[in-house]
Amino acid sequence: MNISGTNIPYKSFLTDESNKKFDLALSGWAADFSDPISFLQILTSNNAQNNGGWKNSQFDAAIKKADTADATNPEKRFADMVQAEKILMKDQGVAPIYQSTQAQLWKSNIKGLVYNSAGIYYDYKNLNVTK
């Protein structure tokens, strides 16, 4: 199988993606809070961010269970999300090809700088630089 790509302006990409005018699209998602559900819920059947249009009722049920019946039980909730991810990967509803990362080097005299894994990356509120 051969795949050819076309580079288009980002605004055109967004329009084509929302109109489902593609065979394959390279897209990304950044979580706004540190929880796997931030990535999983966007692939439920009726989510506006599910631009690929993948649907699976078992996946939807596992995510709904994680958000409702098991929402207050961390072990069961996590198991629901693992089940959903297994369904997603079996169906290849998406094909993850990379994970964003950032190298950091901090001097030992920097204290109190908080790095968040989602949302606003740095919190300088308690930053203290000693000599």
Side-chain angles (χ1 to χ4, degrees):
M1 173 195 303
N2 291 325
I3 297 174
S4 60
T6 304
N7 289 321
I8 59 174
Y10 188 62
K11 189 173 181 180
S12 299
F13 169 79
L14 292 176
T15 300
D16 288 353
E17 189 180 40
S18 66
N19 291 327
K20 313 271 189 268
K21 187 181 167 189
F22 62 90
D23 293 319
L24 177 71
L26 179 60
S27 191
W29 181 260
D32 52 352
F33 57 98
S34 295
D35 191 294
I37 203 75
S38 182
F39 291 97
L40 292 168
Q41 68 186 0
I42 64 171
L43 294 163
T44 54
S45 297
N46 296 320
N47 191 294
Q49 300 298 322
N50 184 359
N51 293 322
W54 174 75
K55 295 180 181 191
N56 183 301
S57 60
Q58 292 174 316
F59 177 87
D60 291 348
I63 296 301
K64 183 175 182 178
K65 192 173 176 189
D67 281 345
T68 57
D70 294 338
T72 59
N73 184 320
E75 292 82 17
K76 287 183 178 181
R77 182 175 178 271
F78 189 77
D80 296 336
M81 292 186 288
V82 168
Q83 177 190 4
E85 184 179 31
K86 286 180 180 180
I87 294 165
L88 174 65
M89 292 296 95
K90 182 177 179 275
D91 283 6
Q92 285 294 267
V94 294
I97 59 172
Y98 71 93
Q99 180 174 339
S100 180
T101 187
Q102 180 182 29
Q104 300 177 17
L105 184 61
W106 296 2
K107 286 187 172 186
S108 60
N109 64 331
I110 296 177
K111 307 291 183 201
L113 178 61
V114 175
Y115 177 77
N116 299 308
S117 60
I120 298 173
Y121 288 122
Y122 294 99
D123 180 350
Y124 301 98
K125 178 174 47 182
N126 296 312
L127 182 65
N128 183 14
V129 180
T130 60
K131 292 184 181 185

